[in-house]
C-alpha cells in the first residue's frame, strides 16, 4: 500500500498545481478593473480639465475605455452608453466615445461644468470615477472693424454736378457723393450714416459732421428715400487712447462714458484735430444700431474744393476674411 500511495502522490500534486494555477489566472483577470482616460477639445483646440470655455463654444469629450474583463458600458453623469456606443463587440477589451457637449449659454456664465465618467466591464466591475471640469465664461468681445484715412470732402456744386465724396456708410465702409446717391436706383441713402461740411464766415460751424436727417441745408438729400439719424457724443479720448480701443465692448464702454448727446444729437460742429467722437447709427437700419468711434486726424479748413476732413473710424462691425 505504501508503494501505491507513493505512485499516486505525484499525480495528486500535479492536479493540485493545475487547480491552483487555474484559479490564480481567473483571479488575475477579475482583479484588473476597467479604466477610463479622457481628453477634450474646445472649438477644435485641446482643452485640459479645469480650463475655461466661452459661451457658445463646441466641446467634445474623447473617452477611451480599457477593460480586460470585456467592455460592457459607460456612465457619464448618470447617462448610460452601451458597448455598441463605444464601438466595441462582445469580448472586446477596449472602446471609445466622442461625446459632443451642448454649448454653454449666457445664463451659465460663472458655473463649472462637471462630468463624472465611469466604465463597467462584463464581470460587473466598475472603474474609478474620472472627473473632467471646465469653467464657463462670457464669450470674448469681437474685434471692431477699423476704417483708416477716410477723407470726406466739403460739399461742392459745380454747375449742378455734386461729385465731392462727402458722405460715409459704416455698412459698406465707402464714401459717396450726392450724385452717386441720387443718380442710381440702388437705395444707397439707406446706408449713409453721416456727411461732412464746413461752416464758414461769422458764426460759422467750422468743421462739422452731420447725419442725413440733421444736415442743415438742402444739398440734394431731400430726394433721398431714407435719411438716417445718427447720435453723436463727444468723448475725452485723445488719439493715443483711441488706438487702445479694439473691441465691441471697448466701444460700448467709451460710448457710455461719453458726454450725453445735446438737443441736436445728429450734428457736431467745431471739430478739432485729435478729438474723438462716439456715435450710434440709426436703429431702423438693417441689422439695428451699431456704435463706433471717430478720430479727427486732420482738417483742411474751408468750404471750397480743397476743404476736407480726415477721419479714423472704428465701428461694431465684425471683421471678416475671404480667401
Amino acid at each position: 500500500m505504501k508503494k501505491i500511495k507513493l505512485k499516486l502522490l505525484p499525480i495528486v500534486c500535479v492536479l493540485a498545481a493545475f487547480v491552483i494555477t487555474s484559479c490564480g489566472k481567473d483571479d488575475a483577470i477579475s482583479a484588473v478593473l476597467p479604466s477610463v482616460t479622457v481628453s477634450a477639445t474646445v472649438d477644435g483646440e485641446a482643452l485640459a480639465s479645469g480650463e475655461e470655455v466661452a459661451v457658445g463654444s463646441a466641446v467634445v469629450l474623447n473617452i477611451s475605455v480599457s477593460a480586460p474583463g470585456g467592455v460592457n458600458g459607460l456612465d457619464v453623469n448618470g447617462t448610460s452608453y452601451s458597448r455598441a456606443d463605444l464601438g466595441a463587440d462582445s469580448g472586446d477589451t477596449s472602446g471609445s466615445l466622442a461625446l459632443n457637449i451642448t454649448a454653454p449659454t449666457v445664463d451659465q456664465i460663472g458655473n463649472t461644468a462637471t462630468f463624472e465618467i465611469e466604465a463597467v466591464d462584463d464581470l460587473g466591475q466598475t472603474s474609478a470615477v474620472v472627473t473632467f471640469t471646465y469653467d464657463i465664461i462670457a464669450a470674448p468681445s469681437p474685434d471692431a472693424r477699423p476704417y483708416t484715412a477716410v477723407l470726406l470732402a466739403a460739399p461742392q456744386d459745380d454747375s449742378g454736378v455734386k461729385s465731392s465724396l462727402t458722405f460715409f456708410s459704416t455698412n459698406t465702409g465707402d464714401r459717396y457723393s450726392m450724385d452717386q446717391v441720387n443718380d442710381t436706383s440702388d437705395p444707397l441713402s439707406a446706408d449713409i450714416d453721416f456727411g461732412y461740411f464746413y461752416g464758414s464766415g461769422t458764426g460759422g460751424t467750422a468743421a462739422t459732421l452731420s447725419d442725413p436727417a440733421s444736415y442743415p441745408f438742402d444739398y440734394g438729400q431731400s430726394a433721398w428715400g431714407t435719411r438716417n439719424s445718427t447720435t453723436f457724443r463727444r468723448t475725452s479720448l485723445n488719439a493715443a487712447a483711441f488706438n487702445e480701443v479694439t473691441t465691441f465692448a471697448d466701444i460700448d464702454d467709451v460710448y457710455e462714458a461719453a458726454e450725453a448727446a445735446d438737443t441736436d444729437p445728429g450734428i457736431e460742429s467745431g471739430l478739432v484735430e485729435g478729438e474723438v467722437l462716439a456715435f450710434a447709427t440709426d436703429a431702423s437700419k438693417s441689422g439695428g444700431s451699431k456704435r463706433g468711434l471717430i478720430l479727427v486726424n486732420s482738417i483742411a479748413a474751408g468750404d471750397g474744393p480743397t476743404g476736407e476732413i480726415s477721419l479714423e473710424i472704428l465701428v461694431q462691425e465684425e471683421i471678416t476674411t475671404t480667401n
Side-chain angles (χ1 to χ4, degrees), residues 1 19 47 54 91 119 126 131 135 141 152 170 186 209 220 224 267 277 312:
M1 291 297 292
V19 171
L47 173 69
T126 56
T131 301
D135 297 324
S141 183
L152 296 182
T170 60
D186 187 358
L209 290 178
W224 290 11
I267 188 168
L277 298 179
E312 303 283 332

Side-chain angles (χ1 to χ4, degrees), residues 2-301:
K2 288 184 179 180
K3 290 184 179 179
I4 293 174
K5 288 181 179 179
L6 289 173
K7 289 180 180 179
L8 290 176
L9 184 60
I11 298 174
V12 172
C13 290
V14 171
L15 289 174
F18 176 79
V19 171
I20 292 169
T21 302
S22 298
C23 291
K25 184 177 180 181
D26 289 341
D27 289 342
I29 292 174
S30 63
V32 179
L33 298 177
S35 61
V36 172
T37 57
V38 181
S39 63
T41 61
V42 54
D43 296 332
E45 301 292 330
L47 173 69
S49 183
E51 291 187 334
E52 295 177 334
V53 170
V55 166
S57 298
V59 175
V60 179
L61 295 181
N62 297 298
I63 305 168
S64 297
V65 174
S66 175
V71 173
N72 184 273
L74 185 73
D75 181 278
V76 181
N77 286 0
T79 299
S80 297
Y81 297 89
S82 68
R83 177 190 297 123
D85 293 327
L86 293 164
D89 295 322
S90 178
D92 284 352
T93 58
S94 64
S96 62
L97 174 67
L99 190 59
N100 294 303
I101 307 302
T102 302
T105 55
V106 172
D107 60 322
Q108 295 174 313
I109 292 173
N111 294 344
T112 297
T114 301
F115 301 89
E116 295 184 339
I117 305 162
E118 183 181 49
V120 62
D121 65 12
D122 287 334
L123 301 174
Q125 301 179 119
T126 56
S127 68
V129 175
V130 174
T131 301
F132 190 96
T133 68
Y134 54 80
D135 297 324
I136 299 171
I137 61 172
S141 183
D143 288 335
R145 179 182 291 277
Y147 295 108
T148 60
V150 177
L151 293 174
L152 296 182
Q156 301 297 306
D157 188 347
D158 185 9
S159 300
V161 176
K162 301 173 182 179
S163 59
S164 56
L165 297 175
T166 298
F167 301 96
F168 183 79
S169 166
T170 60
N171 285 16
T172 65
D174 290 330
R175 302 171 297 157
Y176 297 92
S177 69
M178 181 59 69
D179 285 348
Q180 283 177 306
V181 178
N182 286 345
D183 295 348
T184 178
S185 59
D186 187 358
L188 292 176
S189 64
D191 287 329
I192 305 300
D193 294 299
F194 54 83
Y196 175 67
F197 68 88
Y198 192 93
S200 300
T202 303
T205 59
T208 303
L209 290 178
S210 174
D211 67 14
S214 303
Y215 214 73
F217 57 92
D218 188 2
Y219 181 51
Q221 69 272 22
S222 59
W224 290 11
T226 301
R227 282 186 281 180
N228 288 317
S229 296
T230 299
T231 298
F232 292 103
R233 293 184 174 188
R234 283 192 133 103
T235 80
S236 59
L237 271 63
N238 58 20
F242 172 87
N243 290 328
E244 295 297 318
V245 178
T246 60
T247 68
F248 282 33
D250 292 341
I251 291 174
D252 282 335
D253 290 343
V254 174
Y255 185 90
E256 294 297 337
E259 181 181 334
D262 56 23
T263 54
D264 192 355
I267 188 168
E268 289 293 344
S269 300
L271 301 176
V272 296
E273 295 178 354
E275 79 167 298
V276 177
L277 298 179
F279 68 89
T281 63
D282 198 313
S284 64
K285 288 183 67 177
S286 176
S289 180
K290 296 175 294 187
R291 290 174 173 179
L293 301 180
I294 300 170
L295 168 65
V296 180
N297 268 336
S298 63
I299 299 170

